[in-house]
Amino acid sequence: MTDKYLLDPSDIRVLRVLQRDASLSIAEVAKEAGMSQTPCWRRIKRLKEQGIIRQITAIIDRESVGLGFVAYSFVKLAVPSRENMETFDKLVHHWPEVVTCERITGAVDYLIKVVTDDIKTYDNFLRLKLLDNTLVSDVQSRIVVNTVKDTVALPLREN
């Protein structure tokens, strides 16, 4: 279990600015967060060192690069043992089509979000990677017809 860090209002203001646009300069982040540059830089450095800011990355519009197909797949393992779960966890890291993988409770073991260029490519992923694996006993897919909201920003609140 990871340590929970208490964020003060300044941390939250900086994080909100960075979630909106991480390409801003320290001066721009500081201005929007209402502080001077040096304390802002130190705060960002500390948030990175604590692991609160895991990485800074570009968010790519998937449809602009030809990845217009999204499906959510509920995956049931044949035997949901610790060893099989660890093996499946490692497998999904090698499948670029899987952009999110959550181990969940209930009738299935995983919920994965799969992004491909089209339904044929998804079918290939499903047959040749997911169902071809002896760990998996069942997959039920839900095809996305329209994305209403898609964000990676967390709903940070001041205590």
Side-chain angles (χ1 to χ4, degrees), residues 55-155:
Q55 69 184 55
I56 295 176
T57 187
I59 299 172
I60 299 167
D61 181 87
R62 61 179 174 74
E63 290 184 0
S64 295
V65 294
L67 296 170
F69 185 85
V70 178
Y72 286 88
S73 298
F74 296 92
V75 179
K76 182 167 180 53
L77 298 183
V79 179
S81 67
R82 182 181 58 108
E83 182 182 331
N84 286 348
M85 287 181 172
E86 289 172 358
T87 302
F88 187 81
D89 293 355
K90 289 175 186 168
L91 273 176
V92 296
H93 284 282
H94 297 289
W95 296 335
E97 303 90 345
V98 176
V99 297
T100 305
C101 177
E102 309 278 1
R103 192 176 313 131
I104 61 175
T105 62
V108 296
D109 301 302
Y110 290 90
L111 172 62
I112 60 174
K113 180 179 180 182
V114 182
V115 176
T116 64
D117 34 339
D118 55 30
I119 196 164
K120 182 177 180 180
T121 308
Y122 175 73
D123 182 54
N124 287 336
F125 166 78
L126 184 65
R127 288 180 305 105
L128 303 176
K129 291 184 180 176
L130 207 50
L131 291 172
D132 196 40
N133 192 300
T134 58
L135 292 171
V136 176
S137 69
D138 187 43
V139 176
Q140 294 188 16
S141 299
R142 303 296 184 267
I143 296 170
V144 173
V145 294
N146 184 39
T147 300
V148 177
K149 180 179 180 181
D150 186 19
T151 181
V152 294
L154 297 176

